[in-house]
């Protein structure tokens, strides 16, 4: 049953001469539900769309991007609605700009900071830590024994490995 039929059945049960109370509260609840839906669903979606449009407008040579399919690359050329993305080495693909999004693994671009009167101080590189020597294990200690047989290379059989029981 839908909401209209439930409301009609309630009004018929209450009688024709009795004044109906609660009709206004129903409308208030409906408006409240739509208001909450707008705040939690529609508004954030519009914000995301606006950010995506701004990103597409700002695409340029050297931008790190990800396609909708998850392919990561760097833009080498931008034309009207198409961008040429270098994936690896000399591998390049042509992609619609609308199918690109910001590379989630790339460092976030620094926000445009207001110019300070004093020049920024250069930070010193952190001192390199000495690494502890790595303990080398013998081959016999690293490989566990196989019970019931051994797995080894037999040079007499052209260097092919074989399993012997």
């Amino acid at each position: 049953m839908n909401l209209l039929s439930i409301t009609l059945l309630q009004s018929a049960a209450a009688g024709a001469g009795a004044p109906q109370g609660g009709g206004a509260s129903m409308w208030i609840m409906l408006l409240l539900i739509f208001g909450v839906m707008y705040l939690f669903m529609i508004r954030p979606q519009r914000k995301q769309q606006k950010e995506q449009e701004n990103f597409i407008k700002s695409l340029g040579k050297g931008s790190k991007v990800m396609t909708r399919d998850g392919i990561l690359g760097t833009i080498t050329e931008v034309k009207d609605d198409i961008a040429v993305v270098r994936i690896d080495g000399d591998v390049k693909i042509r992609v619609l700009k609308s199918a690109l999004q910001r590379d989630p693994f790339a460092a976030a671009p620094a926000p445009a900071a207001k110019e300070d009167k004093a020049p920024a101080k250069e930070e010193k590189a952190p001192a390199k830590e000495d690494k502890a020597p790595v303990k080398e294990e013998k081959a016999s200690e690293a490989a566990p024994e196989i019970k019931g047989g051994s797995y080894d290379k037999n040079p007499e059989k052209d260097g092919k490995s074989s399993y012997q029981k």
Side-chain angles (χ1 to χ4, degrees):
M1 295 175 88
N2 61 22
L3 185 62
L4 181 63
S5 62
I6 292 173
T7 307
L8 290 174
L9 287 175
Q10 285 178 349
S11 65
Q20 290 293 316
S25 66
M26 180 182 73
W27 287 108
I28 291 172
M29 281 299 266
L30 281 173
L31 289 175
L32 243 152
I33 289 171
F34 284 119
V36 169
M37 282 180 49
Y38 175 78
L39 286 175
F40 289 109
M41 295 173 66
I42 298 170
R43 190 168 164 231
Q45 181 65 29
R46 284 188 181 173
K47 184 179 177 184
Q48 259 184 346
Q49 284 177 339
K50 191 174 284 188
E51 286 176 3
Q52 179 68 13
E53 287 173 9
N54 290 338
F55 172 71
I56 289 174
K57 288 178 185 176
S58 70
L59 286 176
K61 188 174 181 179
S63 298
K64 295 195 180 284
V65 294
M66 181 174 77
T67 66
R68 287 186 184 164
D69 297 326
I71 299 172
L72 301 170
T74 307
I75 293 182
T76 59
E77 186 180 340
V78 178
K79 293 182 181 175
D80 299 323
D81 289 337
I82 296 176
V84 178
V85 179
R86 183 177 56 84
I87 299 171
D88 187 32
D90 292 334
V91 180
K92 296 178 182 177
I93 57 173
R94 292 177 4 163
V95 182
L96 288 174
K97 286 167 69 174
S98 61
L100 295 175
Q101 58 189 11
R102 192 174 312 279
D103 184 357
F105 304 109
K114 295 179 183 177
E115 292 184 26
D116 294 330
K117 293 179 182 178
K121 296 180 181 179
E122 293 182 19
E123 294 182 23
K124 294 182 181 179
K128 294 183 180 179
E129 296 179 13
D130 294 330
K131 294 183 179 179
V134 178
K135 181 181 175 183
E136 295 182 18
E137 295 181 9
K138 295 180 182 177
S140 61
E141 292 175 3
E145 280 189 37
I146 300 174
K147 294 183 181 180
S150 64
Y151 187 77
D152 58 324
K153 287 189 174 182
N154 189 346
E156 296 173 2
K157 295 183 180 179
D158 301 329
K160 294 181 181 176
S161 58
S162 62
Y163 181 75
Q164 300 171 353
K165 272 195 168 178

